[in-house]
Amino acid sequence: MSARGVSARLALVAGVVAAAPGERVLEVGCGAGVLVTALAAAVGDGRVVAVDRSARMVEAAARRNRAAVEEGRVRLVAAALVDAELGHESFDAVVAVDVRAFWTPPAPEWDVVARVLAPGGRVVLGASVMRAGDADRVRAETARAAGERGFAVTAAAQVGTVPFPTATIELRRPGDG
């Protein structure tokens, strides 16, 4: 972990997301809110909505991001993505790290992403690579599940983070840029 508490893996994913000031970002599986902090700093006066199925993790994320929550720049939701109340919000980016649901059939999370992702938006997934072939398998399964909902892989990489390498996958709707 760095001095700011962001692991090399989360810093890598934040860099791939490349959130810009004013953007709206949805993080799925936010855990204790470490990536939420980095995303909120990047979007400035934009907005981060973070979802996690664990109320305990959402409480930890709320403590970590108290100021941004109080300012209304971060909203935390304790629910599985498919059950989360997102209203009519749309997002410029959706990000998830080690959320197996995105590459494990039937992957209904992609239906939610297809509904809330703004035109031109991007999806960035990060996955820990624990065994040889994991990155290729995750990329293929993600491409299949996302492809059924109109998304295509636009970039993929693997970086030697510690303790495990991290695979990143970026997806967009074809024609969205």
Side-chain angles (χ1 to χ4, degrees):
M1 294 261 184
S2 71
R4 292 183 45 124
V6 178
S7 68
R9 177 182 57 218
L10 294 181
L12 168 70
V13 172
V16 173
V17 173
E23 283 195 319
R24 300 152 302 168
V25 179
L26 171 63
E27 183 187 358
V28 181
C30 69
V34 175
L35 185 55
V36 171
T37 303
L39 295 169
V43 300
D45 63 350
R47 183 164 163 86
V48 175
V49 175
V51 176
D52 198 292
R53 66 179 57 214
S54 167
R56 188 173 182 176
M57 288 290 98
V58 169
E59 289 169 10
R63 284 191 301 275
R64 177 184 299 276
N65 293 282
R66 177 171 285 124
V69 169
E70 289 172 354
E71 294 166 2
R73 296 183 310 107
V74 169
R75 181 167 76 94
L76 301 162
V77 179
L81 178 61
V82 296
D83 299 323
E85 178 50 54
L86 299 175
H88 296 290
E89 290 192 71
S90 66
F91 300 92
D92 302 297
V94 175
V95 60
V97 178
D98 287 332
V99 178
R100 296 174 47 99
F102 282 102
W103 56 86
T104 304
E109 292 73 12
W110 283 107
D111 297 325
V112 177
V113 172
R115 180 176 56 81
V116 302
L117 191 67
R122 65 217 179 268
V123 180
V124 174
L125 302 179
S128 297
V129 180
M130 298 178 159
R131 292 181 305 261
D134 276 357
D136 292 336
R137 181 185 55 77
V138 167
R139 190 169 22 260
E141 290 298 315
T142 298
R144 183 200 52 73
E148 292 173 359
R149 277 74 168 203
F151 291 90
V153 174
T154 54
Q158 183 173 321
V159 176
T161 54
V162 175
F164 301 104
T166 300
T168 59
I169 306 165
E170 181 181 286
L171 304 100
R172 295 178 185 260
R173 290 183 185 103
D176 267 3

